[in-house]
Every structure is written in C-alpha cells, then in structure tokens.
C-alpha cells in the first residue's frame, strides 16, 4: 500500500495540471462554442512573460503575476475574440479549428522574435514553496506532500468551484451559455451578446494565464512543448466529459495523471508496455473516448436557427478568368515551368537547388491536404504521420529484406493509404472537431508508441539511407540532378492525379458532400465510401511525398514526421490555398524559400516562418480560398478591367468576412 501511494501521490500534481487545462478547454467551449486549440499557447505566453519579468528584469513575483496573469491573460483572450473568433460564423467549425491551430503554431514561434531567445530555468512559485515538504500523507514516508502538490490541488479545487458557481448560478454564466446556443437570438432578447462572449474569453484567458504560471515551476526549463503535451492529455480528459462537465473533466485529468505514474512505477522498465503503451496512455484515452462517447459525434451540430443566413464564399481565380486571359495564363505557366527546369539543370547554385528539391518533395505531401481538406472538406491532423509511415516502411523493407527503396516506397504508400482508410472507418460518425481530434490522437499515438521504438525507426537518429538501396542511379550525388528529375516527375504525376479526381465523378460527389451531406445522401451518394476513399487517396499521396523527403534528406527520422509537422502543414497550405493544386505547390515552395532566407537573419528570427504562415492562415474564416488565391482573383479582375476592359466578375468583388464552408464548383 505504501509503495502504491508512493507512486500515486506524485501523480496528483500531474493530474491536476491536466485537470486545469481540461477545465479551461471545457470553459471556453461551453461559454463561446470554440474548442480553443490555442489554449496551450495562451498558457505558455503568460508563463514566459512571468519568467521573463522575474528572471531577466528581477521584478517581484506579485508584480509579474499581475502583469502576466491578471492583465495579459484576459487581454489576450479578448484580442482573440475581437480580432479572430468573433468573425467566424457559429457553423464554420473548420475555420475555428484552423484559427486555433494557427495560434498554437504561431504564438510560441513569435515570442523569441519579440523577446529574443531566453533560457528560463527554475521559475518561482506564486504560492507554496515547491521544495518544502509540509507533511506526509497518512504519515507514510513515501507519500510526501510538498508545495507542488498543495498548489496543484488547492488551485484546481478553487478554480472548479468558482467556475461552476459562475456558470450555473449567476446571470453572466447563464448569458454565456445562451450565447453559445445562438448569439443572434440572445441579441433579440436585449442582451449584449458581444459583451457576454468577450467576458467569457477574458475569463478563459485568465484561466490559461493562471494555469501557465502554476505549471511553470514544475518544468526544469520553460518550453512550449511541455505545455502542448499537457494540453493533449487535457483534451482526452475534456473529451471524456463531452466538453460539458468541468468536474468530470477535472476528475478524468487527475485520474490520467495518477494512473500514468502508478503504471510507470509498476511496469517492468524493459517491457513494451513501459516503452510504447505507457507514453501513449492519454492518446489511447482520447481515441477511445471519441469512439465510445456518443455526445462527441454531435460537437459541430449547430443549434442556431439563424445559422444558415450567410452567403457562400467567392470562387477561386481560375473559375472567374475570361477565355481571353486564360489563353495567356496557361502558356505562361508552362513557360515558367520550363524556365524552372532549365534553371535547376544548369545555373542554379547547389545550395538553392537543395532547397527547391525539398520544395518539390513537400509539394507532394501538401497535395494530400488538398485532397482531404480542399476536396473532401475534412480536416486531418495526421498527414505528416502518414508520410512517415510510408518512409519508414520503405526504409525497413530495404534494410531487412533488401527491397529497392522505390519499390518499398510504393508498398509504403499502400500501407499509408490502408492506415488512413482504417482511420476513416473508425471515425465515420465523427466530423469537424471530432474528426480533427481523432486524427490528432492517431498522430500522437504513432509518435509515442510506434515511431519511438528504436527497433522500428532507429531511435532519435533514425535510419540512414544507403546508395545501394536506390538502384543504379545515384540520387545522393551532390553534382547530379537525378533527384530533381525524379521529384519533379513524381510531383507532376500526383498533381495530375489530384486534378483528375477533382474534375471527375469523385470530385463532383465530394463537392456535393461539402455543400450538404443530407442533400448528397438524398441523391444516392454513399457518404461513408466517399470519406474512406478520400482518406485513402490522401494517405497514398502523403506516403509518396514522405518517401521523397526521405531520399532528399538521405535519412528517415521520427522527428521529421511528428505530429507538429502535421499541424504546421495544415496551417501552411491553408495560407496559400487549400482548395487548389497550385495552392499546395506554392505553399511548399514558399515554406522552404522563407526558411532558407531566414537562415541569413539573426537567430531570434529563425521561427518567423511559422509566424508568417500562421498569420496568413488566420484569414481563413474570411477567405477560405487562401490569401494567394484571394490576390490572384483580385489581380485577375484588375487586369481584365484595365487591359481587356471587362467589368469585374461577381467573385472578384470584395466579400464580407466570415463566410461559411466552401461550396461546390470548379476548382483549380
């Protein structure tokens, strides 16, 4: 018993950390209708500013707390509401998720740009001393109660009580809950819905800041990755509570923390249960909750009777170009492609040839997002994982069986397609937010249970590719152009395949499904089959791209295909244009070129790539076609008006922000 308590008691602070985050997620969702993927970034900002004030500027702890939690926390929440989420219609679930992901990716990368690279170590506690043991539970030596334990338990309990009373027994709480149902109907009742929702975001921001500062002393070095890991476990706890009950979310969070520590102490350290299953416990819980808990299937079901009054978004540029301009644009694209190929094969500097080769490989992976999100209308947060599945499959077949790597890549693409199809089958009843959480759980499950196994992936260093695995042609030759020719051919083939799907029967059925699932089912379209098909196709394309990335880097490592890459990929492609083939290719080249250019800037600007793309993705709610497509459409209208003297087409005119989901129509 004493040994069991010795492992269970240290698990309580971890569980309370999960509970604080879970309660914050439930609060935000219940009060605003938004599942805030940026919550971990909010907590990290407050913790970072708190530590920066205390350690760099020697500010008193109480003053740093007031600035980082009381002022910055609510201020950041209100800014997110007024500048971003308020502009998103209640039914536009995809835009809410994309906006949250943009904040999650962009904010931690922005802090070093603003404050410089800071090494914040051993931050102080705002309440009890973490190094002091106040008493022993039941008098047992193995169950010490220190400042970390007391801070976690006391603040978690206080937060839960205060928030429950606020939401259930005060007029403001009732107004918050009513605003989630329908902000417009609340306004008709004479309530200032904007004020109510702003108050909810301020309270949520205060919660995030408090959670960040409370958790900071438990981290040896303050890093955003630790907050993201905590939030993932909190998502599992919040999912078990169906994003409704804060008490249930808190209880499950504490239980996950305790069970994890107890299992860590009881399981043999050399067993697969310890190395693979134990780290994946929170993600297994999330996966199981999404499959079992019925309420999670209806997270995005709108209860707002005035939710469908918004007009559709504008079309992409290609669908509004006049025939005269089309006859100029199409040959210009072919000339640009020819100039690019000639440049790569002749005068392009070796360093930039490597960068652009990587852009070709990323372009193939990004096309899978065009398939799953642009055509299928579904958001997958596991495309980077699927790319890694194919790359590791090809490497293992070459290493252990002697199969040519490119043959193995085809097998790997088939395996990735099978994994994606299995993921689609298990999530047939989920959509929107539920599907995004399911794919995130799958990505994390692979990261912690499969990609972390040295026997499968070679550990942190990964698997180095050998020249003999690739056949007679030396694709690693730094003075050759073999990889460029290969990557360009593969990207062209995948782009042509996506265009065929887009223009064919499958593309039209997917367009109908995006417009209305009920209407699509009414005309005989098999919704389940379409989802499984588009998932499988996107998995295959991602797998091919993953194999190309492995050849370009001459290695396959787990860190190159983790869930963070999947999140960043969605943000990057959404910025340029997720609905078009050229949007994915432009995203890939923009990503690698910006990264290379920032190599010449001071080190503090190294993370600016993700900041720039995240900032662009924040406009997704207003312009779901992407900012590059938006500018193309506007410039098309200008050229036709000035040169051809045509009046601007309706799709080129300015459109109010906050339109709904993309509708069926010709895409490019």
């Amino acid at each position: 018993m004493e040994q069991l308590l010795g492992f269970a008691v240290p698990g309580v602070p971890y569980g309370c950390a999960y509970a604080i985050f879970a309660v914050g997620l439930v609060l935000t969702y219940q009060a605003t209708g938004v599942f805030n993927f940026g919550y971990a970034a909010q907590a990290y900002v407050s913790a970072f500013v708190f530590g920066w004030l205390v350690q760099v500027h020697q500010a008193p702890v109480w003053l740093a707390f007031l600035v980082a939690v009381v002022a910055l926390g609510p201020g950041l929440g209100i800014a997110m509401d007024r500048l971003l989420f308020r502009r998103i219609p209640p039914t536009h679930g995809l835009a809410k998720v994309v906006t949250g992901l943009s904040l999650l990716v962009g904010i931690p990368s922005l802090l070093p740009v603003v404050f410089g690279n800071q090494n914040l170590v051993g931050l102080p506690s705002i309440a009890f001393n973490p190094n002091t043991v106040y008493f022993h539970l039941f008098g047992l030596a193995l169950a010490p109660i220190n400042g970390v334990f007391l801070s976690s338990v006391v603040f978690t309990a206080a937060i839960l009580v205060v928030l429950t009373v606020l939401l259930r027994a005060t007029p403001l709480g009732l107004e918050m809950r009513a605003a989630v149902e329908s902000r417009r109907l609340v306004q008709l009742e004479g309530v200032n819905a904007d004020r109510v929702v702003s108050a909810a975001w301020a309270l949520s921001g205060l919660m995030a800041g408090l959670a960040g500062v409370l958790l900071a002393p438990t981290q040896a070095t303050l890093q955003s990755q630790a907050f993201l890991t905590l939030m993932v476990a909190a998502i599992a706890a919040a999912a078990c509570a169906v994003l409704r009950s804060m008490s249930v979310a808190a209880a499950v969070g504490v239980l996950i923390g305790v069970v994890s520590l107890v299992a860590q102490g009881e399981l043999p350290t050399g067993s697969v249960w310890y190395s693979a299953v134990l780290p994946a416990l929170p993600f297994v819980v999330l996966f199981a909750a999404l499959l079992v808990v019925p309420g999670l299937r209806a997270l995005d079901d709108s209860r707002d009777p005035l939710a469908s009054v918004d007009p559709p978004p504008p079309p992409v540029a290609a669908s509004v170009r006049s025939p005269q301009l089309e006859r100029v644009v199409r040959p210009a694209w072919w000339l640009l492609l020819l100039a690019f190929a000639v440049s790569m094969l002749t005068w392009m500097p070796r360093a930039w040839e490597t960068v652009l080769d990587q852009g070709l490989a990323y372009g193939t992976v990004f096309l899978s997002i065009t398939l799953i999100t642009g055509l299928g209308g579904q958001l997958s947060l596991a495309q980077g994982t699927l790319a890694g599945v194919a790359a590791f499959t090809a490497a293992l077949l070459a290493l252990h069986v002697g199969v040519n790597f490119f043959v193995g890549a085809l097998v790997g693409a088939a395996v990735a397609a099978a994994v994606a199809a299995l993921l689609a089958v298990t999530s047939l009843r989920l959509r929107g937010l539920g599907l995004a959480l399911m794919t995130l759980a799958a990505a994390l499950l692979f990261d912690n249970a499969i990609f972390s196994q040295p026997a499968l992936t070679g550990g942190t260093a990964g698997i180095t590719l050998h020249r003999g695995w690739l056949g007679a042609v030396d694709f690693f030759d730094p003075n050759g152009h073999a990889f460029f020719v290969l990557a360009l051919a593969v990207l062209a083939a995948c782009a042509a395949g996506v265009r065929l799907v887009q223009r064919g029967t499958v593309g039209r059925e997917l367009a109908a499904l995006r417009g209305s699932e009920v209407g699509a089912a009414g005309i005989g379209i098999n919704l389940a089959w379409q989802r499984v098909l588009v998932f499988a196709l996107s998995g295959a394309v991602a797998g091919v791209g993953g194999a190309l990335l492995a050849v370009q880097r001459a290695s396959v490592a787990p860190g190159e295909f983790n869930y963070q890459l999947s999140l960043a990929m969605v943000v990057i492609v959404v910025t340029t244009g997720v609905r078009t083939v050229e949007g994915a290719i432009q995203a890939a080249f923009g990503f690698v070129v910006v990264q290379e250019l920032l190599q010449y800037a001071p080190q503090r600007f190294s993370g600016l790539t993700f900041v720039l793309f995240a900032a662009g993705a924040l406009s997704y709610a207003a312009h779901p076609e992407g900012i590059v497509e938006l500018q193309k459409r506007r410039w098309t209208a200008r050229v036709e008006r000035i040169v051809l003297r045509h009046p601007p087409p309706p799709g080129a005119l300015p459109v109010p922000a906050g339109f709904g989901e993309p509708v069926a129509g010709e895409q490019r």
Side-chain angles (χ1 to χ4, degrees):
M1 182 64 178
E2 183 175 356
Q3 183 176 359
L4 180 63
L5 285 175
F7 291 117
V9 169
V12 172
Y14 288 98
C16 287
Y18 301 154
I20 293 174
F21 268 69
V23 168
L25 291 173
V26 173
L27 167 68
T28 308
Y29 187 80
Q30 282 295 302
T32 68
V34 174
F35 186 87
N36 186 12
F37 276 97
Y39 191 81
Q42 288 180 264
Y44 177 65
V45 167
S46 289
F48 183 93
V49 172
F50 175 79
W52 180 71
L53 290 173
V54 171
Q55 291 195 346
V56 178
H57 294 280
Q58 286 76 48
V61 171
W62 64 267
L63 179 60
F65 175 81
L66 290 178
V67 173
V69 178
V70 179
L72 180 59
L76 186 58
I78 292 174
M80 290 167 59
D81 169 48
R82 291 184 178 274
L83 300 178
L84 299 173
F85 290 102
R86 181 175 297 188
R87 303 171 184 269
I88 304 175
T91 55
H92 203 334
L94 185 60
K96 294 177 185 178
V97 175
V98 168
T99 301
L101 291 176
S102 302
L103 295 171
L104 181 63
V105 171
I107 289 179
S109 301
L110 180 62
L111 291 180
V113 177
V114 177
F115 296 95
N117 294 307
Q118 303 291 337
N119 186 26
L120 303 177
V121 181
L123 297 184
S125 173
I126 60 174
F128 303 96
N129 189 341
N131 299 319
T132 300
V133 176
Y134 291 89
F135 60 92
H136 290 80
L137 189 65
F138 303 122
L140 300 177
L142 293 179
I145 304 301
N146 58 15
V148 174
F149 185 100
L150 286 178
S151 297
S152 302
V153 173
V154 170
F155 279 100
T156 301
I159 288 170
L160 190 60
V161 171
V162 170
L163 292 180
T164 301
V165 172
L166 175 67
L167 290 178
R168 298 292 177 182
T170 66
L172 179 60
L174 296 176
E175 290 172 355
M176 287 180 184
R177 294 162 58 197
V180 176
E181 300 287 338
S182 175
R183 188 179 301 188
R184 290 163 176 163
L185 286 180
V186 168
Q187 289 173 331
L188 293 177
E189 290 291 329
V191 177
N192 188 334
D194 291 339
R195 176 188 60 82
V196 171
V197 174
S198 292
W201 275 103
L203 182 59
S204 173
L206 179 67
M207 275 279 300
L210 180 60
V213 172
L214 284 174
L215 296 174
T218 65
Q219 309 295 327
T221 302
L222 189 67
Q223 295 180 342
S224 60
Q225 176 62 33
F227 287 83
L228 183 57
T229 302
L230 286 171
M231 193 188 76
V232 172
I235 290 175
C240 291
V242 203
L243 294 177
R244 293 175 183 170
S245 172
M246 290 184 292
S247 58
V248 172
V252 175
V254 173
L255 184 62
I256 291 175
V258 171
V259 170
S260 297
L261 263 292
V262 170
Q264 184 175 340
E266 297 293 337
L267 293 175
T269 56
S271 67
V272 68
W273 290 95
Y274 188 92
S275 61
V277 178
L278 181 58
L281 177 62
F283 321 126
V284 172
V285 173
L286 175 58
F287 207 90
L290 290 166
L291 291 177
V292 175
V293 180
L296 294 177
R297 302 169 188 170
L299 285 179
D300 286 336
D301 287 352
S302 177
R303 294 160 290 184
D304 187 353
L306 302 179
S308 60
V309 299
D310 291 321
V316 295
S319 62
V320 298
R321 280 202 295 259
S322 65
Q324 298 96 316
L325 189 59
E326 184 70 18
R327 286 195 291 268
V328 176
V329 171
R330 191 174 296 275
W333 277 112
W334 286 107
L335 289 175
L336 180 63
L337 177 61
L338 178 62
F340 171 67
V342 171
S343 299
M344 289 288 285
L345 295 173
T346 55
W347 62 268
M348 186 67 65
R350 186 62 54 195
W352 277 98
E353 183 180 349
T354 301
V355 171
L356 297 177
D357 281 344
Q358 190 176 51
L360 292 171
Y362 270 120
T364 305
V365 180
F366 287 2
L367 281 174
S368 70
I369 301 177
T370 300
L371 270 171
I372 190 69
T373 303
L375 274 67
Q378 309 292 334
L379 186 61
S380 170
L381 304 181
Q383 296 306 108
T385 300
L386 296 174
V389 167
F392 279 115
T393 299
L396 289 173
L397 287 175
L399 179 64
H400 297 293
V401 186
V403 176
N404 181 281
F405 186 84
F406 295 118
V407 176
L410 296 178
V411 177
V415 173
V419 172
L422 179 61
L423 186 59
V425 170
T426 56
S427 58
L428 282 177
R429 297 186 179 183
L430 298 172
R431 59 184 179 275
L433 175 58
L435 181 61
L437 293 176
M438 175 66 85
T439 54
L440 176 62
L444 290 161
L445 196 61
F446 269 86
D447 281 358
N448 289 271
I450 298 177
F451 289 170
S452 62
Q453 299 302 305
L456 295 176
T457 61
T460 305
I463 301 173
T464 301
L465 304 189
H466 298 287
R467 183 187 179 282
W469 294 356
L470 307 177
V473 181
D474 186 3
F475 291 94
F476 300 149
D477 183 4
N479 298 315
H481 305 291
F483 180 81
F484 165 71
V485 175
L486 171 68
L488 182 61
V490 171
L491 176 60
C494 290
V498 173
R499 289 290 290 144
L500 286 175
V501 172
Q502 190 177 48
R503 290 179 169 179
T505 303
V506 173
R508 296 181 184 278
E509 291 181 347
L510 289 173
L513 192 149
R514 290 198 312 274
S516 171
E517 290 190 1
V518 176
I523 62 175
I525 296 177
N526 189 323
L527 304 183
W529 165 248
Q530 290 298 325
R531 174 178 286 190
V532 173
L533 178 61
V534 74
F535 260 82
L537 290 174
S538 71
V541 173
V544 171
L548 272 183
L549 277 174
V551 175
Q552 194 273 331
R553 294 166 173 166
S555 66
V556 190
E560 298 169 350
F561 298 102
N562 56 26
Y563 76 98
Q564 293 150 307
L565 172 65
S566 297
L567 300 181
M569 281 167 45
V570 172
V571 172
I572 292 168
V573 179
V574 162
T575 300
T576 57
V578 73
R579 297 167 59 191
T580 64
V581 168
E582 58 203 53
I585 298 174
Q586 291 161 354
F589 281 102
F591 174 59
V592 297
V593 168
V594 171
Q595 271 197 320
E596 180 65 18
L597 291 176
L598 288 176
Q599 297 297 320
Y600 303 99
Q603 186 179 4
R604 66 188 297 173
F605 297 106
S606 60
L608 198 57
T609 304
F610 297 107
V611 176
L612 295 174
F613 280 100
L618 292 176
S619 66
Y620 179 79
H623 303 291
E625 73 274 30
I627 57 175
V628 173
E629 274 296 323
L630 170 66
Q631 296 304 320
K632 284 164 58 180
R633 191 178 71 250
R634 288 177 173 175
W635 278 100
T636 297
R638 293 189 181 105
V639 170
E640 293 190 351
R641 184 175 65 252
I642 297 173
V643 178
L644 303 178
R645 299 187 181 279
H646 290 170
L653 296 177
V655 181
F659 282 175
E661 297 284 348
V663 296
E666 179 69 9
Q667 302 174 9
R668 184 175 180 82

